[in-house]
């Protein structure tokens, strides 16, 4: 599979996902359709699908224009608030993009209808997950329509259960800000310091991996004693809540 990150709006990411075998393509959160279509036209692939992570305008706001320009697209999602949705994803109900296996993962917290898309290429064994505004590099999304318990379940019982080598493609370029905050709560974390140094001259920092995130993303480390001591809590859900409040005010 081929994945092309496209910087859109101020700090958003859209993605083009291409199955190398069939040349079938999907776009993830195509908020700037013209930009997306220009890139697709250079790949020799055929656009058939839209994977929408959630209904917020900076992710789903391009759907109407894109479908108008490319009638007949399959628009996947799990929220009636998503424009042009015509395929409602059921949790863990696999579908195909050419030869690629796509598994939608329901991750309700940032929004109640948020979906992450887990992709496996059976030919190469490559794995990737498009996490929208649920998991960022070094951070997580705000709990607009959920709480810390919801996010804990999503992180520890859904996303962290994916193989460590799974590439993580998130919905925003927030890495420097996220890592700057992370350093305030885990200043001696060597993996974090290394990632911070690595990203300084990078405009695009995707992808990360699930395995890497476990080492330096504080929201995935709420079971670590150092973070529990910092938060003054022993319940990891309460630590997660405390971290989110701290980050909101950072």
């Amino acid at each position: 599979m081929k994945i092309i990150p496209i910087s859109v709006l101020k700090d958003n990411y859209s993605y083009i996902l291409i199955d190398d075998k069939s040349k079938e393509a999907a776009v993830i959160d195509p908020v700037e359709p013209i930009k997306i279509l220009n890139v697709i036209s250079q790949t020799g692939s055929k656009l058939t699908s839209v994977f929408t992570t959630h209904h917020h305008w900076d992710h789903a706001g391009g759907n109407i224009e894109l479908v108008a320009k490319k009638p007949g697209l399959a628009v996947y999602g799990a929220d009636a608030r998503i424009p042009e949705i015509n395929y409602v994803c059921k949790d863990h109900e696999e579908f195909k993009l050419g030869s690629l296996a796509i598994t939608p993962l329901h991750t309700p917290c940032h929004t109640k209808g948020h979906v992450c898309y887990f992709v496996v290429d059976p030919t190469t064994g490559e794995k990737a997950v498009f996490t929208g505004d649920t998991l960022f590099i070094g951070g997580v999304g705000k709990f607009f329509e959920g709480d810390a318990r919801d996010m804990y379940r999503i992180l520890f019982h859904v996303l962290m259960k994916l193989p460590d080598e799974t590439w993580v493609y998130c919905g925003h370029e927030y890495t420097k800000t996220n890592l700057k905050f992370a350093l305030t709560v885990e200043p001696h974390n060597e993996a974090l310091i290394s990632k911070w140094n690595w990203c300084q001259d990078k405009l695009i920092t995707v992808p990360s991996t699930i395995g890497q995130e476990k080492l330096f993303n504080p929201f995935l480390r709420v079971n670590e004693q150092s973070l529990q001591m910092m938060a003054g809590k022993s319940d990891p859900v309460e630590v997660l809540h405390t971290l989110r409040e701290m980050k909101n005010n950072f």
Side-chain angles (χ1 to χ4, degrees):
M1 63 178 161
K2 183 177 186 181
I3 297 170
I4 305 171
I6 300 175
S7 297
V8 289
L9 303 179
K10 181 186 170 189
D11 53 29
N12 279 70
Y13 282 121
S14 297
Y15 298 98
I16 299 170
L17 170 66
I18 301 171
D19 172 36
D20 292 319
K21 273 193 168 180
S22 65
K23 295 299 180 186
E24 202 173 319
V27 289
I28 295 88
D29 293 348
V31 67
E32 290 192 48
I34 302 290
K35 189 180 278 192
I36 302 284
L37 291 172
N38 284 342
V39 176
I40 287 180
S41 69
Q42 298 165 31
T43 65
S45 58
K46 182 190 177 187
L47 178 62
T48 62
S49 310
V50 177
F51 301 166
T52 312
T53 60
H54 62 297
H55 76 279
H56 287 163
W57 76 270
D58 59 325
H59 295 263
N63 287 8
I64 292 172
E65 184 183 349
L66 184 61
V67 170
K69 291 182 180 301
K70 290 281 185 181
L73 292 176
V75 181
Y76 293 87
D79 195 318
R81 295 172 289 184
I82 293 171
E84 300 293 337
I85 184 172
N86 53 28
Y87 281 87
V88 177
C89 298
K90 293 183 179 176
D91 190 31
H92 283 87
E93 190 173 281
E94 183 184 302
F95 61 91
K96 289 289 198 335
L97 177 76
S99 68
L100 304 179
I102 317 294
T103 304
L105 306 172
H106 282 203
T107 50
C109 184
H110 182 71
T111 67
K112 287 196 179 300
H114 199 293
V115 173
C116 296
Y117 295 91
F118 177 55
V119 185
V120 177
D121 186 330
T123 305
T124 64
E126 283 180 290
K127 303 169 186 71
V129 62
F130 296 94
T131 57
D133 285 4
T134 291
L135 176 66
F136 298 121
I137 299 177
V140 297
K142 291 183 177 179
F143 311 162
F144 287 132
E145 297 182 0
D147 58 24
R149 191 162 298 281
D150 296 324
M151 185 59 81
Y152 184 87
R153 183 193 67 79
I154 289 163
L155 295 176
F156 287 85
H157 298 288
V158 181
L159 294 177
M160 285 175 70
K161 297 291 187 186
L162 299 176
D164 279 353
E165 69 271 20
T166 304
W167 296 110
V168 175
Y169 290 93
C170 55
H172 288 268
E173 181 50 63
Y174 289 163
T175 304
K176 290 186 181 70
T177 305
N178 285 343
L179 297 182
K180 190 174 183 181
F181 168 74
L183 284 166
T184 68
V185 295
E186 274 200 305
H188 305 299
N189 181 327
E190 290 187 9
L192 173 58
I193 293 166
S194 175
K195 189 71 174 180
W196 169 254
N197 291 333
W198 171 85
C199 81
Q200 291 310 301
D201 60 348
K202 306 287 190 300
L203 294 176
I204 293 177
T205 62
V206 291
S208 179
T209 68
I210 292 292
Q212 289 170 18
E213 291 301 310
K214 290 176 181 178
L215 297 177
F216 59 73
N217 187 327
F219 295 91
L220 303 189
R221 297 174 54 77
V222 293
N223 289 300
E224 297 291 325
Q225 188 177 10
S226 58
L227 278 168
Q228 293 183 359
M229 288 177 65
M230 181 280 307
K233 313 276 186 186
S234 58
D235 179 348
V237 174
E238 291 182 6
V239 178
L240 188 59
H241 173 78
T242 300
L243 279 177
R244 183 66 262 175
E245 290 298 306
M246 290 172 68
K247 179 65 169 63
N248 290 347
N249 296 311
F250 182 66

